[in-house]
């Protein structure tokens, strides 16, 4: 049910933004979802649309973009795309994070673990 919480916070942010600008409506919302959040875009889209019903932002176009995971290896200094290895032994496909260069797990995730609203296009009466 993680998606509902994300959707709720997206809706709150959008409505707050729309109200603070006295917008008549919301044309589009651009949302970036990091690959490492493992969130289902379809579910988020569904819940955002559901939560926007009856608000001034109803009917806003949702534009989703995925952001690939990136890491920084503290062992060898590698910086780049993160490959997710899925262990078939785990039912939940627990990802195993490691440096693709040296195999070290002493890494820092630098990209792809967030879901953010990139832009909100408001409709104003002018
Ligand atoms: Zn490394």
């Amino acid at each position: 049910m993680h998606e509902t919480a994300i959707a709720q916070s997206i809706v709150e942010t959008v409505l707050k933004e729309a109200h603070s600008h006295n917008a008549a409506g919301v044309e589009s919302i651009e949302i970036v979802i990091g690959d490492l959040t493992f969130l289902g875009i379809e579910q988020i889209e569904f819940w955002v649309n559901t939560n926007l019903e009856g608000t001034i932002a109803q009917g806003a176009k949702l534009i989703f973009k995925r952001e690939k995971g990136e890491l920084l290896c503290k062992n060898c200094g590698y910086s780049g795309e993160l490959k997710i290895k899925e262990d078939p032994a785990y039912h939940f496909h627990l990802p195993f994070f490691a440096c693709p260069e040296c195999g070290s797990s002493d890494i820092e995730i630098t990209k792809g673990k967030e879901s953010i609203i990139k832009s909100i296009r408001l409709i104003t009466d002018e």
Side-chain angles (χ1 to χ4, degrees), residues 76-117:
C76 73
Y78 170 86
S79 174
E81 198 179 316
L82 173 65
K83 308 260 191 301
I84 298 166
K85 282 187 211 165
E86 286 181 355
D87 190 332
Y90 288 102
H91 285 294
F92 298 107
H93 296 284
L94 257 171
F96 174 66
F97 299 135
C99 174
E101 286 296 312
C102 71
S104 169
S105 56
D106 188 13
I107 56 163
E108 186 188 326
I109 306 296
T110 54
K111 256 187 172 183
K113 58 178 177 182
E114 292 174 318
S115 53
I116 50 164
I117 298 175

Side-chain angles (χ1 to χ4, degrees), residues 26-83:
V26 177
E27 195 180 306
S28 63
I29 308 159
E30 200 178 334
I31 303 155
V32 177
I33 306 282
D35 267 352
L36 305 179
T37 62
F38 300 102
L39 293 166
I41 286 180
E42 290 81 13
Q43 283 107 299
I44 293 175
E45 188 171 25
F46 173 80
W47 285 112
V48 169
N49 280 326
T50 302
N51 286 327
L52 287 180
E53 262 173 47
T55 74
I56 59 162
Q58 183 172 346
K61 190 179 171 204
L62 303 179
I63 303 153
F64 284 98
K65 287 189 176 155
R66 279 199 171 276
E67 183 179 73
K68 282 203 184 306
E70 279 188 20
L71 66 84
L72 173 69
C73 178
K74 290 176 181 171
N75 185 48
C76 73
Y78 170 86
S79 174
E81 198 179 316
L82 173 65
K83 308 260 191 301

